Amino acid sequence: MAKVSIGLRGWRFEEDEIFTDDEELKPLDEIPEDPRERLVRLVSLVEEPCDVCYLDYGEEEINRCNQAEIVYGEPEGEVLLCPEHEPDLLYWFREEGGSEYKGSVEFADRFHEWVAAGNEAPEGYASVEHVEEDPAGLPDLPDQQEVQERLEADFEGERIDILELAGQEERDGEEITEAELADSDLDLSADYPSDR
């Protein structure tokens, strides 16, 4: 069977690892770990902006960013690109030492630093020619909700009692008082990171 890209060009999958004979996406527990990790990650990336556009315009002008069409790197260290900015990554990778970070989650950070320093590919630097034989013939990726439902349906773990781990008794739905909250180490003003 052939290798295919789904959703974004770049990450390639063996068709027989991810599709059934009926050309439907296999259940997640039947997909090998590496392609499954990439597929689950792709679901959250397919509508994201190009990283270079985002570095140029930021959140304030995100509407000016091109939607990403290409992904390079490893899950959680990937670079998302539009066709206009793909040559920048290729130049950095081939000519500016980016290949040193191949296979590393640092890949994206090092490329973003290079772009943020004002670097770009020289005018006319060649991109990769992507061949799309039958992009409409591939099934669509499931959305994030469907992936979450599939993961929960296959989950066979045990329930963990956080209070027991912390050495506290279960409170049977009793609310925490303001005094108890003030005495705790919980920081309610903290911002927690998102995946993008």
Side-chain angles (χ1 to χ4, degrees):
M1 290 214 132
K3 287 193 172 234
V4 295
S5 291
I6 302 175
L8 299 170
R9 293 188 310 261
W11 286 349
R12 311 227 343 119
F13 301 91
E14 294 286 348
E15 281 187 88
D16 61 346
E17 289 185 342
I18 62 171
F19 295 122
T20 65
D21 292 337
D22 299 329
E23 298 183 354
E24 293 293 323
L25 194 62
K26 287 183 176 180
L28 290 174
D29 62 341
E30 294 179 19
I31 298 174
E33 185 177 353
D34 183 57
R36 180 178 59 233
E37 180 183 359
R38 288 175 188 271
L39 276 172
V40 169
R41 185 72 182 137
L42 267 175
V43 169
S44 64
L45 299 176
V46 292
E47 295 184 3
E48 291 293 319
C50 165
D51 289 353
V52 177
C53 291
Y54 189 83
L55 288 169
D56 286 343
Y57 300 116
E59 190 66 35
E60 302 79 35
E61 296 184 82
I62 197 167
N63 59 314
R64 295 183 64 188
C65 297
N66 294 325
Q67 185 171 340
E69 295 182 29
I70 305 151
V71 60
Y72 286 107
E74 298 300 314
E76 303 297 335
E78 68 277 326
V79 173
L80 300 175
L81 299 163
C82 63
E84 177 185 337
H85 290 117
E86 184 180 27
D88 295 331
L89 181 119
L90 296 174
Y91 180 79
W92 168 79
F93 186 83
R94 294 171 181 160
E95 314 293 337
E96 295 290 324
S99 61
E100 173 185 342
Y101 302 103
K102 181 180 180 180
S104 160
V105 292
E106 291 181 67
F107 183 81
D109 289 340
R110 300 297 82 80
F111 175 67
H112 294 155
E113 288 169 1
W114 184 80
V115 170
N119 296 300
E120 60 184 19
E123 188 72 32
Y125 191 79
S127 190
V128 173
E129 186 173 328
H130 297 278
V131 178
E132 293 188 29
E133 291 182 9
D134 185 16
L138 295 174
D140 291 329
L141 277 175
D143 62 19
Q144 288 183 347
Q145 180 65 32
E146 184 178 341
V147 168
Q148 184 65 33
E149 288 169 3
R150 286 184 184 192
L151 290 172
E152 289 174 5
D154 296 334
F155 181 72
E156 294 180 5
E158 67 179 71
R159 184 180 171 92
I160 297 173
D161 185 343
I162 294 176
L163 291 175
E164 183 180 316
L165 288 175
Q168 299 178 11
E169 296 177 20
E170 192 168 329
R171 301 175 65 105
D172 292 329
E174 183 182 325
E175 291 192 20
I176 296 174
T177 66
E178 285 186 34
E180 290 172 319
L181 190 57
D183 291 339
S184 74
D185 292 332
L186 183 61
D187 182 2
L188 297 177
S189 66
D191 289 331
Y192 296 95
S194 67
D195 63 344
R196 292 257 356 127

